Amino acid sequence: MKDASPAAPLEIFLSDYTPPAYLVDTVELTFKLHPTATRVLSRIAFRPNPDTADRTFYLHGEQLKLISATIDGQDANAKVTDLGLTAIAPDAPFIFEAEVEISPSTNTALEGLYMSNGMYCTQCEAEGFRKITYYPDRPDVMAVFSVTIEGEETVKLSNGNDLGDGKWHDPWPKPAYLFALVAGDLVNHPDTFTTMSGKEVELNIWVRPGDLNKCAFGMDALKRSMAWDEKVYGREYDLDLFNIVAVDDFNMGAMENKGLNIFNSSAVLASPETSTDANFERIEAIIAHEYFHNWTGNRITCRDWFQLCLKEGLTVYRDSQFTSDERSPAVKRIEDVIALRARQFREDNGPLAHPVRPTSFVEINNFYTATVYEKGAEVIGMLKTLIGDDAYYKGCDLYFTRHDGQACTIEDWLACFEEVTGRDLAQFKLWYTQAGTPRVSVKEAWKDGTYTLTFTQHTPPTPGQDVKDPKVIPIAVGLLNEAGEEIQATRICEVTDDVHAFRFTGLDALPIASINRGFSAPIILQQDQDNLTRAFLLANDTDPFNKWEAGRALARDVMIRMVTEDAAPDQAYLDALLAVARDDTLDPAFKALVFSLPSGDDIAQALFDGGVTPDPTKIYLTAQTLSQSIAQAMQDTLPRIYAQMQVDGPFSPDADAAGKRAWGNVALSLLTRLDGGAQARTQFEGADNMTQQLSALGALLRAEVGEDASKAFYAQWKEDRLVIDKWFAMQVSFAKLDAAPAVAEALTAHPDFTLTNPNRFRAVFGALAGNTAGFHSPDGSGYALLADWLIKLDAKNPQTAARMSTAFETWTRYDADRQGMMRDALERIKAAPNLSGDLSEMVTRILNA
């Protein structure tokens, strides 16, 4: 029987965790593929869990048509609801068998088994497997899976090792969220990798016909990732086969399913003609990330979804290490911090703030956040800083050895490092349990050769957490003299109290402090520092991150004074930039980052923190004025920089070549403000790679002289869906002041726009949200447009709609008119009929700010 009344979403609490009543030893699945009527037959070997007396037999299941269900061959007499199945099960091992019917072609939510351009594919994290068949769909139930795929498709893939004829076997126990299936008309780019023990592994990247020429870089990145994980962490791959599949319709970047990684096409397909340097670096990082999950996520997984950061934070940290080793550690660190501040600090500072390990959730999909991923990675980095490299890797080895094949918790992870170091990490654990970004103020004192730094930490209240205990914060400090020489090598100051002082003795004169080097802790550092000191550190600091940080702080201060005081661009800042430009010892990629101004959102938050209501339009105009001043101050230098940074010969995505192109294109953008776009037109017309072509197009659009180039670009690339995603985003990102909403709305009527493809939707509306002045247009058109389309999207793809709703999370920082219009938009979304639990939860949390 079936209960037709759906249950209201329930809030789930970490404190309520209970072990599963039944464990699973083996799972046998047979898929009889059909676009609208796929039959899934399951044969599951259950046994009572000896760690609990509970014998409630409950299986999750959603959007399933039950054909039959038996226990040990007898009718299970199952009671079925919209959320699952219950039955009376024996207090002994038994076999549960079921047959269900599902409709992949109408599954627009892209969770469970669905179709993308005629290809069958799956996405089961976090709770998609319950849309495939009835199962205890929780990460602490791990089993060995065997799969048979029946259908006319030429290629049929699943997890594990290929037994032939559509049959697959994965010998490693895994939770259901790691299950994967792909079937369709695919072709492969093959290779092999020999592991450190001498085992040869077959590798494949599977794509649809026409994309084989975009696989070579991804395969190279995979092989480098496998070698790096062996060298750095001692982790060897454990199957005979590793498959990657490119899928056009995918809600995320990629998924680490055991032995069968499914990738958003944008995260694996690359060629010089169609991909930018940023695309190549992103693909390299995502391939590494998903491969590294084989040990940090698959072999050892999460006990429950509250422990999501256990696998994601650790794996993000590992992929960041990999990129640093493959490219430039300094540049990678700066890029990571820019992203952290733009996404995670914003999250920590608003209604969506939550601990790295949440204490409760309604929809787990809404907790795949920057806090879990990026801040989770920062916590791993701080742990390594506090205990040292040797202890860190010893602790990792103990973790891998002790917990292989288990579903674990943060406590399990930290216990390994406590055992290795003998150190109590209870206070460190607060980074996992307390939300919010610590504010750390610093005061300096000087007397009789002793220099004292006194740190005071405070973390503001966040939703559900009004009072915060002091954390342990590792702050890396170095000291310079007036000549720019380092007189105190980097020292880690462990701040453990509300107020904590550190002394440096035996000094001849008052030093200049370089604080939080390498961004050793994810904090907001509050320091009385004038622009002359910032300019000094930009010119002299031996720590690359703090060298950049000084320039960023200088730029932020200049822009804030221009906004609030109508000040002219600061000459000291312009002189400092010119000095950086002329310093040929600096990495070109580093120079490009120094010349990148703080974003409109960054300045808006800084103004709000200082008690000033931000005006997005004025911030935009200020950035334009400052950029014009930089161009004019450097007009004699820009042509030389541009000429020197041209890369001859065949295209290479390596860090050196990419860095030159980045710095050269910064020069091009500034030149375009002086020459009306002449050089940019020449580069656009002669470009032989996407980095140069797209950079030139962006410069022209920014200067409002790019209409013809934009039309030519579309005509050239209209058959390549990933390049056209770029074209859509460029139109909105570089729209004239306040015109972005109208441009975005017009693009939704373009024949190439589609609501059901997440990449295309994000290209338009992600670009709109990222265009601060455009989204916050004074007439509220940006808010109304996004609300309209989130309601439309929610009916088809709740997960993507919920994630895009975060564009509204900063609504309380703006003026009363904008606040009112944003609240109206949010209330309209909330009142929409049949709103999903995903989007409803997000909008409610945002409104409760």
Side-chain angles (χ1 to χ4, degrees):
M1 60 179 291
K2 178 149 182 159
D3 181 356
S5 57
L10 297 176
E11 187 169 8
I12 300 170
F13 293 88
L14 171 61
S15 58
D16 291 340
Y17 171 83
T18 56
Y22 290 88
L23 302 177
V24 178
D25 290 320
T26 60
V27 179
E28 298 174 26
L29 298 174
T30 298
F31 289 82
K32 299 181 178 182
L33 297 177
H34 185 279
T36 60
T38 290
R39 289 291 178 99
V40 183
L41 287 72
S42 60
R43 188 175 192 274
I44 307 170
F46 285 96
R47 60 183 168 87
N49 186 350
D51 294 333
T52 178
D54 180 19
R55 291 296 174 258
T56 303
F57 184 66
Y58 176 79
L59 305 181
H60 301 97
E62 297 178 15
Q63 302 171 24
L64 306 175
K65 178 182 177 181
L66 180 63
I67 307 301
S68 65
T70 64
I71 292 177
D72 285 338
Q74 301 298 312
D75 189 340
N77 294 314
K79 180 179 179 181
V80 177
T81 71
D82 288 335
L83 298 178
L85 172 156
T86 56
I88 303 299
D91 190 12
F94 63 93
I95 301 296
F96 173 84
E97 294 181 272
E99 182 174 359
V100 303
E101 184 177 287
I102 55 178
S103 177
S105 64
T106 58
N107 180 3
T108 60
L110 312 185
E111 294 178 289
L113 179 65
Y114 65 94
M115 299 194 76
S116 173
N117 294 330
M119 179 199 312
Y120 292 89
C121 52
T122 56
Q123 171 54 29
C124 293
E125 187 177 358
E127 297 176 340
F129 192 77
R130 63 190 61 186
K131 296 182 179 180
I132 293 175
T133 193
Y134 290 102
Y135 194 78
D137 189 9
R138 44 189 290 171
D140 56 352
V141 175
M142 303 174 70
V144 171
F145 279 65
S146 298
V147 178
T148 299
I149 308 170
E150 299 177 3
E152 299 179 356
E153 289 68 28
T154 56
V155 174
K156 297 184 266 297
L157 308 171
S158 192
N159 307 88
N161 294 320
D162 186 1
L163 305 182
D165 197 28
K167 297 181 184 297
W168 293 82
H169 177 69
D170 185 356
W172 299 102
K174 66 174 179 286
Y177 82 84
L178 291 172
F179 171 79
L181 178 151
V182 172
D185 180 18
L186 299 168
V187 291
N188 68 312
H189 177 97
D191 209 326
T192 61
F193 179 81
T194 303
T195 70
M196 58 186 181
S197 67
K199 181 175 71 174
E200 186 170 281
V201 179
E202 177 186 341
L203 309 176
N204 292 292
I205 297 179
W206 295 91
V207 297
R208 66 184 193 175
D211 285 336
L212 272 178
N213 64 327
K214 299 179 181 179
C215 296
F217 180 79
M219 182 61 76
D220 178 62
L222 173 61
K223 295 176 71 172
R224 286 185 283 116
S225 301
M226 298 175 80
W228 184 91
D229 209 18
E230 291 184 344
K231 177 182 177 182
V232 177
Y233 281 86
R235 299 297 104 195
E236 183 177 8
Y237 187 62
D238 52 9
L239 290 168
D240 300 331
L241 178 65
F242 189 90
N243 284 317
I244 288 174
V245 183
V247 176
D248 285 350
D249 301 292
F250 203 72
N251 283 334
M252 297 177 287
M255 178 61 205
E256 71 266 20
N257 318 294
K258 184 72 176 181
L260 178 57
N261 284 188
I262 298 179
F263 273 64
N264 188 314
S265 297
S266 67
V268 66
L269 301 180
S271 71
E273 297 79 17
T274 61
S275 306
T276 64
D277 288 323
N279 293 147
F280 278 103
E281 183 174 344
R282 175 175 180 262
I283 287 167
E284 181 180 75
I286 293 177
I287 285 177
H289 179 95
E290 305 308 332
Y291 175 75
F292 296 156
H293 263 313
N294 189 60
W295 276 93
T296 50
N298 296 1
R299 288 284 286 264
I300 305 176
T301 193
C302 303
R303 186 197 69 177
D304 51 71
W305 288 120
F306 298 99
Q307 319 296 330
L308 182 60
C309 61
L310 178 67
K311 73 182 186 76
E312 295 300 348
L314 177 55
T315 306
V316 169
Y317 181 71
R318 278 158 38 79
D319 82 53
S320 180
Q321 285 183 289
F322 169 76
T323 300
S324 295
D325 287 349
E326 293 290 304
R327 294 177 177 266
S328 163
V331 170
K332 172 60 176 171
R333 188 61 184 139
I334 294 167
E335 291 173 342
D336 283 349
V337 174
I338 291 173
L340 182 80
R341 287 171 169 166
R343 297 175 57 223
Q344 198 282 317
F345 276 26
R346 168 173 162 156
E347 195 167 85
D348 250 355
N349 204 47
L352 301 180
H354 63 87
V356 173
R357 182 172 68 180
T359 56
S360 69
F361 64 78
V362 175
E363 295 289 345
I364 184 56
N365 287 332
N366 290 337
F367 279 97
Y368 282 74
T369 63
T371 297
V372 167
Y373 281 69
E374 277 73 32
K375 189 173 181 179
E378 293 293 322
V379 174
I380 303 296
M382 284 190 291
L383 176 64
K384 186 168 178 283
T385 297
L386 286 167
I387 67 175
D389 289 359
D390 289 346
Y392 170 75
Y393 287 110
K394 286 178 182 177
C396 288
D397 287 342
L398 178 59
Y399 175 69
F400 293 132
T401 301
R402 176 177 291 170
H403 296 295
D404 188 11
Q406 296 179 11
C408 295
T409 65
I410 291 300
E411 286 76 14
D412 295 324
W413 163 256
L414 292 178
C416 293
F417 296 92
E418 288 183 322
E419 184 170 328
V420 164
T421 64
R423 176 172 179 155
D424 184 349
L425 294 175
Q427 186 183 20
F428 180 78
K429 184 181 169 184
L430 293 175
W431 282 102
Y432 286 105
T433 59
Q434 289 187 171
T437 304
R439 274 66 169 168
V440 178
S441 62
V442 58
K443 299 294 183 183
E444 60 179 351
W446 167 255
K447 184 178 181 181
D448 298 333
T450 296
Y451 178 66
T452 302
L453 289 175
T454 301
F455 296 98
T456 302
Q457 64 166 298
H458 166 70
T459 303
T462 54
Q465 288 186 337
D466 292 334
V467 179
K468 309 299 174 94
D469 294 322
K471 298 181 175 74
V472 53
I473 304 176
I475 300 180
V477 176
L479 302 180
L480 305 173
N481 65 19
E482 290 185 351
E485 300 165 334
E486 187 164 284
I487 55 174
Q488 167 68 58
T490 302
R491 168 183 166 187
I492 303 300
C493 299
E494 290 189 28
V495 178
T496 57
D497 299 316
D498 289 327
V499 180
H500 202 146
F502 299 87
R503 292 172 177 80
F504 301 81
T505 59
L507 302 176
D508 296 329
L510 175 66
I512 296 95
S514 170
I515 301 175
N516 207 30
R517 286 184 154 187
F519 202 67
S520 57
I523 60 174
I524 294 174
L525 183 65
Q526 299 169 333
Q527 182 180 12
D528 290 332
Q529 196 176 62
D530 59 32
N531 283 348
L532 288 177
T533 302
R534 291 170 179 144
F536 173 86
L537 290 170
L538 175 58
N540 297 286
D541 204 328
T542 55
D543 177 72
F545 176 82
N546 269 12
K547 190 179 187 74
W548 168 83
E549 179 82 309
R552 176 55 63 103
L554 189 56
R556 188 181 294 112
D557 180 76
V558 168
M559 292 184 69
I560 288 173
R561 286 191 290 108
M562 290 175 69
V563 169
T564 59
E565 303 170 14
D566 291 322
D570 191 297
Q571 189 61 46
Y573 175 58
L574 299 177
D575 291 343
L577 287 182
L578 189 58
V580 169
R582 290 173 172 168
D583 188 346
D584 292 334
T585 67
L586 296 176
D587 181 352
F590 176 83
K591 293 183 181 182
L593 289 170
V594 170
F595 271 72
S596 175
L597 295 180
S599 69
D601 188 75
D602 187 351
I603 297 300
Q605 185 62 48
L607 288 166
F608 181 77
D609 290 342
V612 177
T613 300
D615 179 347
T617 300
K618 190 167 186 179
I619 293 170
Y620 171 83
L621 294 173
T622 294
Q624 297 306 305
T625 299
L626 182 55
S627 294
Q628 186 69 30
S629 297
I630 294 170
Q632 291 169 346
M634 295 185 59
Q635 58 184 325
D636 296 333
T637 308
L638 292 173
R640 176 184 66 83
I641 294 171
Y642 179 77
Q644 289 179 339
M645 291 300 109
Q646 300 311 298
V647 181
D648 297 325
F651 177 89
S652 170
D654 68 87
D656 288 342
K660 289 179 179 178
R661 284 189 288 269
W663 180 220
N665 284 323
V666 167
L668 177 70
S669 179
L670 293 170
L671 273 173
T672 304
R673 295 179 177 276
L674 304 176
D675 69 1
Q679 188 63 61
R681 289 190 190 93
T682 299
Q683 177 168 309
F684 178 83
E685 293 166 1
D688 64 355
N689 63 80
M690 184 54 63
T691 299
Q692 298 301 84
Q693 189 177 25
L694 205 66
S695 294
L697 177 60
L700 293 168
L701 289 172
R702 187 183 291 108
E704 300 182 15
V705 293
E707 185 175 351
D708 290 343
S710 179
K711 291 178 180 177
F713 186 90
Y714 176 80
Q716 179 182 358
W717 295 111
K718 61 184 178 180
E719 302 302 326
D720 191 301
R721 74 270 191 205
L722 297 180
V723 176
I724 293 303
D725 285 338
K726 296 178 175 64
W727 179 81
F728 271 91
M730 294 283 280
Q731 308 310 301
V732 183
S733 295
F734 294 108
K736 291 186 291 186
L737 182 62
D738 298 338
V743 171
E745 186 170 21
L747 287 172
T748 62
H750 192 284
D752 290 341
F753 179 79
T754 173
L755 179 67
T756 56
N757 179 261
N759 289 351
R760 190 59 46 89
F761 189 90
R762 285 188 288 255
V764 174
F765 290 103
L768 176 61
N771 184 331
T772 304
F775 180 60
H776 294 286
S777 179
D779 64 2
S781 56
Y783 313 143
L785 181 66
L786 182 58
D788 289 343
W789 282 92
L790 289 180
I791 292 170
K792 294 177 185 178
L793 180 63
D794 185 62
K796 294 183 177 295
N797 189 332
Q799 188 178 136
T800 298
R803 290 179 180 176
M804 293 295 296
S805 70
T806 59
F808 289 103
E809 69 181 314
T810 60
W811 69 278
T812 58
R813 73 157 72 131
Y814 293 101
D815 57 83
D817 287 345
R818 285 185 170 92
Q819 284 191 35
M821 290 184 288
M822 277 190 273
R823 175 177 277 280
D824 289 346
L826 289 163
E827 292 285 7
R828 184 158 58 85
I829 296 171
K830 187 177 180 181
N834 303 313
L835 197 69
S836 72
D838 300 62
L839 185 54
S840 177
E841 181 195 11
M842 292 296 284
V843 169
T844 299
R845 290 168 62 198
I846 293 171
L847 280 168
N848 287 339

